[in-house]
Structure formats: C-alpha cells, structure tokens
Amino acid sequence: MAENSKEDFLQLVKRVGAFFTVKISNLLRRLDSRSFGAVAGLALAIIFTWRLFRAPRGPQRRQPKRQASSASSSDVNSRASENAGTSEVFTPPEDPTTQNVIDELFQPVKPTLSQIVRQRLSEGRKITCRLLGVILEENSPEELQKQATVRSSVLEVLLEITKFCDLYLMERVLDDQSEITDTLSQFMQKNVLLALENAGVFTSSGLVKDKVLFCSTEIGRTSFVRQLEPDWHIDSNPEITTQLARFIKSQLHVSPERLERPAANVFTTPSLEQFFA
C-alpha cells in the first residue's frame, strides 16, 4: 500500500514537470532576452525539486545501532545501579577519632575572662569597690587589726578589671577619736596595703596605692563614691547599696544573702568571681 502511494506521487510529479516544460518552451518563444534569465532560473528550480522527489530513498539500516546504543545504555544503567547498591552496602563506618576532631572544631568558642569582664561591666571605665567581704577574706574592721588576706579566687578577676578600668578600692577603719585608735587605724591600713602588695595587685595591674582609700565611717565611704562618680560601685553593705542606687549608674551587691526588692540598676551575686564566671 505504501509502495503504490509513492509510485502515484512520483507519476504526479512527472506530469507536473512535463506540463511546466511545455509551458516554459512556449514562453521562451514569446519572451525577449531580458526575461530569459528569470524564466531559466524558475525552470532550474522546478527541475531541482522534481529530481529531489524522484531520488530513491533506501531503507534505513541504523536500527541495529540504536539497539546497540539502547543495550549499552541499559548496561550502563545496570552497572550504575550495581555500583550504587554496592556503595550502600559497603559504606565504611565513621572513624570515631575523626568525628571527635570535627566535634571539637565546631564547638562554640568560649569567651575569655577579659571579654566576660568587659561585657558584664558594659565597658564601664571607672569602678569603686569595697575591700571587706569582696576582695578580702575579712568581713569587719575589727578583723583587720589582726591581719588582712586577699581572696585568691578573686585575684584573677581583680587583675582583669584593673587592665581596662580605673579602679578605686576603699574601706572603713576604726574611728580615730584617740591616739590609740589612730595608731590602730594606721596599722590596719598597713595590713591592707601589705596584703594587696603581696598578692601582686600593684605590680601586675594599673592599680596604685594612692587609689586605696580609707575612711573612719560608712558615711565617709559613701561620700568617696559619690565624689568619684563611678560607672559601677561594688559593695557588700546593703544599706550603702540602697543609698547609692539613686546616684550610681550600676551597682553590684556582693553577699550570700540577696537584697529585698533591689533597684533596677543593682545586681546581686554571692561573690565577685561568680559574677564573672
């Protein structure tokens, strides 16, 4: 059926070509030399088209190649699937040593003590701090008559504070109402200064002895703080902390017992070093 249709189509093309040949010959007799080129071009186009349709079309013999290519592609796919299956089956277990190294690399970086101190103090530049109960082991002026001891646990934090802050230490000593009391007061001051010096506070930081202040009353210590106008004041006396809350930007109350209803600018901590832990 397909062969008959093709033969009929070729016969039709031949008839059309013969018809155009007759017509062209008649036109050549009537046309002049100027129109001869145009007509000749038209004739060549028709002849080329006729020969194109007349040319036999052999059967395509590329089917085996397609089959081969499809077969090769199926082989590739099967091999890929086999490799995928093999990789899934024989995936090596993770090395615990390598995993530990990766975990250590991606652990959050812990801030240094210097960074913590700066952050907790909000970049405060001037600080006043009481000695008793905060820097010293002793908690009362009477205890200073015997000795003064710097707390070893607070020393590192104290040195970090003095690296970037203008620190003033202060404490109340016995009232100098008599000559004996005055002598005891001087003795207590020497004990405190000697304890700070032996702890390396004056040599390892920017703190100098002139910034260690002494007074005879708590009112005098409160006056010292207000005159210096620090960014932070650190104290262990709840009454002083409450009185200074209106005048100081930030305060740190150091005591095992928490303040009742502290002001918004007052922070509490059991010890100075725990505040920066």
Side-chain angles (χ1 to χ4, degrees):
M1 186 69 179
E3 294 293 336
N4 294 332
S5 299
K6 189 180 296 185
E7 289 294 333
D8 294 339
F9 179 73
L10 291 176
Q11 291 296 330
L12 179 61
V13 171
K14 289 180 181 180
R15 291 175 184 178
V16 173
F19 174 78
F20 276 110
T21 302
V22 174
K23 290 293 184 181
I24 291 172
S25 62
N26 293 333
L27 288 174
L28 290 175
R29 295 174 185 175
R30 298 176 184 178
L31 294 175
D32 55 5
S33 59
R34 294 180 180 179
S35 303
F36 180 78
V39 175
L42 178 61
L44 290 175
I46 294 173
I47 293 171
F48 176 78
T49 305
W50 176 67
R51 287 188 176 183
L52 180 64
F53 283 102
R54 186 181 178 185
R57 296 182 179 181
Q60 296 180 355
R61 297 182 179 179
R62 296 182 179 180
Q63 188 66 23
K65 292 184 178 180
R66 293 180 180 177
Q67 293 177 356
S69 62
S70 62
S72 61
S73 62
S74 62
D75 293 340
V76 172
N77 294 332
S78 62
R79 291 176 182 175
S81 62
E82 290 176 0
N83 293 335
T86 304
S87 62
E88 291 178 0
V89 174
F90 296 99
T91 301
E94 295 183 356
D95 187 1
T97 305
T98 305
Q99 188 63 35
N100 291 336
V101 173
I102 294 174
D103 293 341
E104 291 179 359
L105 289 175
F106 286 94
Q107 282 183 352
V109 178
K110 295 181 180 180
T112 63
L113 179 59
S114 178
Q115 293 172 339
I116 295 175
V117 169
R118 289 174 180 266
Q119 182 181 6
R120 297 305 301 269
L121 294 179
S122 304
E123 299 295 335
R125 291 300 179 182
K126 182 182 289 187
I127 298 176
T128 55
C129 179
R130 185 185 188 184
L131 286 164
L132 288 174
V134 181
I135 306 300
L136 301 178
E137 295 282 359
E138 291 74 23
N139 294 301
S140 65
E142 289 75 16
E143 295 181 56
L144 294 179
Q145 299 179 24
K146 301 177 181 179
Q147 62 180 10
T149 308
V150 177
R151 300 176 58 192
S152 58
S153 58
V154 80
L155 185 60
E156 186 178 4
V157 172
L158 181 63
L159 296 178
E160 287 295 337
I161 293 175
T162 57
K163 287 181 180 179
F164 69 97
C165 291
D166 189 15
L167 179 64
Y168 291 84
L169 301 178
M170 56 187 63
E171 191 48 64
R172 176 178 70 88
V173 293
L174 296 178
D175 297 340
D176 52 351
Q177 297 176 354
S178 63
E179 185 176 349
I180 298 177
T181 304
D182 184 52
T183 303
L184 286 175
S185 176
Q186 294 179 6
F187 178 75
M188 293 164 62
Q189 295 180 32
K190 290 181 180 179
N191 283 346
V192 172
L193 295 175
L194 183 60
L196 294 172
E197 185 176 3
N198 292 337
V201 175
F202 299 127
T203 57
S204 302
S205 65
L207 185 66
V208 295
K209 293 182 179 181
D210 292 339
K211 292 184 178 181
V212 182
L213 309 177
F214 297 96
C215 58
S216 58
T217 62
E218 294 285 40
I219 296 177
R221 188 159 59 84
T222 304
S223 179
F224 279 162
V225 175
R226 293 189 58 180
Q227 290 177 12
L228 291 171
E229 297 181 347
D231 300 310
W232 279 80
H233 175 64
I234 305 172
D235 211 299
S236 60
N237 189 327
E239 295 181 2
I240 300 298
T241 302
T242 303
Q243 293 175 10
L244 292 174
R246 296 179 300 168
F247 308 102
I248 307 303
K249 180 180 179 180
S250 300
Q251 287 194 93
L252 179 61
H253 181 71
V254 180
S255 175
E257 299 179 0
R258 298 181 62 88
L259 287 175
E260 294 183 2
R261 299 180 182 180
N265 61 338
V266 177
F267 302 87
T268 60
T269 179
S271 63
L272 183 61
E273 60 271 22
Q274 289 188 26
F275 183 70
F276 299 101

